[in-house]
Amino acid sequence: MEFFDKLGETIVSAGKDVGQKARDVSEIAKLRIDIRAKEEYVQEQYAAIGAAYYEKHKNDEVIEADEAEQFYLIGEALAEIARMKAEVLKIKGASECPRCGARMPEAATFCSECGAKLNDIFEE
Ligand SMILES: [Zn+2]
């Protein structure tokens, strides 16, 4: 029914009284919100494709020249994010299991979730 309501408004809008103009402004505002939401949705899909592409090709021996810089910058940024997350955990007095990602006190010797030995994972 919304389609016919809008069709009605369009036909009536030839006259454009004050009330109609207010409704037009309101309709445009709503449409702009919907447009923004759809644009954000498309951006999210682009990002998902990009992330999948990065994961698929990050270990390729040869990376396309026009993508090499972005691959490098993404890798650097991800490493920096990991470093900063570890810093936050350290400040909170916590650590993260390198095997399963569970959080626990920094002093813990074993992961309470998966049992991995912490702080010395190379002994596994
Ligand atoms: Zn664990």
Side-chain angles (χ1 to χ4, degrees), residues 85 89 94-104 118:
K85 281 183 174 176
L89 287 174
S95 66
E96 196 169 75
C97 173
R99 184 195 281 168
C100 74
R103 287 182 191 178
M104 56 213 59
L118 304 174

Side-chain angles (χ1 to χ4, degrees), residues 32-50:
R32 284 189 172 145
I33 289 167
D34 290 347
I35 289 166
R36 170 67 70 85
K38 273 299 183 220
E39 285 175 343
E40 284 175 4
Y41 175 81
V42 170
Q43 289 300 323
E44 285 168 17
Q45 305 316 309
Y46 284 160
I49 290 171

